[in-house]
């Protein structure tokens, strides 16, 4: 280990590995360390034996479940929006050459006590039980409004300035029923709760556009997911960093993050040795005095020997349970994947149910009971509660840049927003992801 680097990165979570890769490509001398003996941190994918060791210590997985190497179980379930910023970053960095993605087979929503497919085309929309025929006509007017809306052309706005009017006013304009509002706000815009209703409608407009554009890209659903699980993502960016000179050390304890008398970052002490750098990046677990807890997420990792019921035997699904449908303060998300994505042996399904904790941690599992109830018989269940942390400062004063914890959202867009914000604070300029895509297109045309 050398004495001096430009950047030290603590942890190999997705955010940390993306930044490590980006900065290495720009010529920075990067050292990345992780106290664990595997990549991914909180966003790792574990073998079945590792999963048992983590949550059921002293218990061996049954041999009937198949070979250990056939499992790649995500600790934090997230899908990528096909037209989202995360996919843009993948193309920009060319990390796609290390990964293989497959589309998620279906997007579903829980309504009136049953699971219904989110329509992926006009034919499905006409047959969908989610709305009455009259309500479908009103919803058609709403979606045409969204599709034609131009912030620079008042003639398209029907008197609604989405920069200022709350989303509740937009719904009222089109006379949409409460159930339809639930569907749009939670199954399409993917809001975690109803607080968006009183906020300017622009954010919801952009979320709906992202969902619709992602759906249009491949059909079936707006989501894609990497073969062999999410743990492949940090490793892809780590490989990018290594190719450009980055140094990686797993199973490396961090004894102390060292600061000078003025409180500015100096280096990291590990096993009695101090390695220095101009700045440090890391997840919250390495900086307990510099972060604040903002909430908690409860997740249940469930192993099934059958597809999730009422999904048409889909090999991979996303199910959104809107808060109002079950009388909760937050939505519940169910992510289901199978051997189609090479994360479990054939014949098994991996379902992960998650939500924000509203009450006490002692009763947290009851908050995802409605999601678990949709799964049918469950072979094994691993429940864990994760704290959500955010940095107390932006890091520019002490040159300590801390990523936010992974939230309860079902996609990577909030993680991307955090990465872009960190990148700007670290480098002083915006992260641009258009150039690489254009270059790839130009090369393919030659």
């Amino acid at each position: 280990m050398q004495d001096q680097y430009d950047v030290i990165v603590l942890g190999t979570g997705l955010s940390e590995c993306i930044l490590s890769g980006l900065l290495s490509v720009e010529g920075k001398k990067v050292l990345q360390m992780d106290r664990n003996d595997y990549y991914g941190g909180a966003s790792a994918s574990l073998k079945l034996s590792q999963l048992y060791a983590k949550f059921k210590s002293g218990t061996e997985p049954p041999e009937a479940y198949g070979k250990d190497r056939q499992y790649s179980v995500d600790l934090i379930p997230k899908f990528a929006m096909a037209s989202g910023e995360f996919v843009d970053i993948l193309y920009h960095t060319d990390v796609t050459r290390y990964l293989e993605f497959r589309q998620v087979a279906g997007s579903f929503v829980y309504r009136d006590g049953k699971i219904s497919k989110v329509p992926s085309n006009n034919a499905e929309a006409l047959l969908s039980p989610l709305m009455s025929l009259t309500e479908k006509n009103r919803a058609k007017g709403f979606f045409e409004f969204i599709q034609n809306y131009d912030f620079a052309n008042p003639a398209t706005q029907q008197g609604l300035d989405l920069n200022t009017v709350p989303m509740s006013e937009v719904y009222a304009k089109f006379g949409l029923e409460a159930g339809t509002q639930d569907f749009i706000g939670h199954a399409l815009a993917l809001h975690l709760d109803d607080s968006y209703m009183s906020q300017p409608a622009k954010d919801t407009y952009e979320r709906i556009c992202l969902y619709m554009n992602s759906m249009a890209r491949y059909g079936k659903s707006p989501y894609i997911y990497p073969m062999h699980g999410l743990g492949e993502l940090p490793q892809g960016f780590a490989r990018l960093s290594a190719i450009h000179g980055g140094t990686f050390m797993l199973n490396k304890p961090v004894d102390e993050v060292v600061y000078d008398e003025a409180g500015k970052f100096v280096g990291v002490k590990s096993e009695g040795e101090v390695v220095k750098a101009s700045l440090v990046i890391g997840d919250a677990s390495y900086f307990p005095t510099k972060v604040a807890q903002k909430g908690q997420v409860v997740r249940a990792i469930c192993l099934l020997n059958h597809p999730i019921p009422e999904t048409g035997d889909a090999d991979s699904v996303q199910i959104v349970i809107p808060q109002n449908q079950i009388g909760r303060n937050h939505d519940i998300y169910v992510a289901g994947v199978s051997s189609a994505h090479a994360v479990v042996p054939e014949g098994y399904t991996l379902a992960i149910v998650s939500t924000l904790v509203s009450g006490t941690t002692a009763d947290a599992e009851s908050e995802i009971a409605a999601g678990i109830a949709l799964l049918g018989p469950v072979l094994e269940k691993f429940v864990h509660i994760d704290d959500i942390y955010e940095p107390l400062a932006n890091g520019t004063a002490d040159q300590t840049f801390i990523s936010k914890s992974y939230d309860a959202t079902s996609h990577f867009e909030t993680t991307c927003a955090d990465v872009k914000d960190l990148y700007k604070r670290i480098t002083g300029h915006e992260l641009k992801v258009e150039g690489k895509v254009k270059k790839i297109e130009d090369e393919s045309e030659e």
Side-chain angles (χ1 to χ4, degrees), residues 77-149:
K78 285 186 184 290
F79 294 141
M81 301 293 284
S83 293
E85 286 196 297
F86 180 63
V87 172
D88 290 342
I89 290 175
L90 287 170
Y91 280 115
H92 171 68
T93 55
D94 212 14
V95 167
T96 47
R97 60 185 152 161
Y98 309 130
L99 303 167
E100 180 184 354
F101 283 83
R102 178 171 173 162
Q103 187 181 21
V104 172
S107 178
F108 296 82
V109 62
Y110 181 83
R111 172 124 178 237
D112 298 332
K114 60 183 180 180
I115 300 172
S116 296
K117 189 177 188 300
V118 176
S120 59
N121 53 52
N122 289 336
E124 286 188 359
L126 285 172
L127 297 172
S128 174
L130 288 169
M131 304 175 199
S132 66
L133 184 59
T134 303
E135 184 68 0
K136 284 176 182 177
N137 287 329
R138 287 192 287 261
K140 182 173 181 287
F142 170 82
F143 286 116
E144 287 176 347
F145 165 76
I146 294 293
Q147 186 174 3
N148 297 325
Y149 194 92

Side-chain angles (χ1 to χ4, degrees), residues 192-194 323 327-331 358:
L192 290 170
D193 54 45
D194 274 350
Q323 60 174 83
R328 292 194 71 255
N329 294 326
H330 305 286
D331 291 1
S358 299

Side-chain angles (χ1 to χ4, degrees), residues 131-342:
M131 304 175 199
S132 66
L133 184 59
T134 303
E135 184 68 0
K136 284 176 182 177
N137 287 329
R138 287 192 287 261
K140 182 173 181 287
F142 170 82
F143 286 116
E144 287 176 347
F145 165 76
I146 294 293
Q147 186 174 3
N148 297 325
Y149 194 92
D150 184 348
F151 284 88
N153 183 1
T156 69
Q157 298 173 8
Q158 298 190 34
L160 296 171
D161 181 358
L162 300 189
N163 288 302
T164 57
V165 300
M167 195 63 204
S168 58
E169 189 172 324
V170 179
Y171 288 145
K173 171 81 173 180
F174 293 92
L176 298 179
E177 298 173 351
T180 306
Q181 295 177 28
D182 265 355
F183 168 70
I184 293 170
H186 297 270
L188 302 187
L190 299 173
H191 286 293
L192 290 170
D193 54 45
D194 274 350
S195 60
Y196 80 96
M197 296 277 278
S198 59
Q199 297 169 358
K202 183 179 180 181
D203 177 54
T204 300
Y205 162 85
E206 291 174 345
R207 286 166 171 258
I208 294 170
C209 289
L210 171 60
Y211 189 99
M212 294 169 70
N213 290 338
S214 296
M215 181 74 86
R217 192 162 188 172
Y218 298 118
K220 286 188 181 179
S221 87
Y223 307 110
I224 57 175
Y225 180 84
M227 298 294 290
H228 308 290
L230 297 182
E232 295 295 299
L233 296 174
Q235 292 188 62
F237 285 99
R239 187 172 176 183
L240 174 72
S241 178
I243 287 173
H244 289 85
T247 302
F248 284 80
M249 293 185 176
L250 296 180
N251 203 22
K252 187 70 172 173
V254 174
D255 302 329
E256 181 185 356
V257 181
V258 184
Y259 295 87
D260 63 18
E261 294 180 355
K264 189 174 181 180
F265 172 75
V266 172
V268 173
K269 185 177 182 180
S270 175
E271 299 177 314
E273 182 182 3
V274 176
V275 59
K276 297 181 179 180
S278 302
L279 62 92
V280 64
I281 301 167
D283 68 58
S285 68
Y286 290 93
F287 309 95
T289 64
K290 293 181 177 288
V291 295
Q293 184 180 336
K294 297 296 183 179
Q296 292 179 307
V297 180
V298 57
R299 299 181 174 96
I301 301 169
C302 301
L303 181 64
L304 320 176
N305 60 359
H306 55 84
I308 296 176
E310 297 185 48
T311 62
D313 291 343
D315 59 33
S316 50
V317 300
Q318 156 89 312
I319 305 172
V320 178
I321 307 176
Q323 60 174 83
N324 293 326
Q325 294 295 316
I326 49 173
R328 292 194 71 255
N329 294 326
H330 305 286
D331 291 1
I332 297 174
Y333 295 93
V334 180
V337 286
S338 67
S339 58
H341 285 93

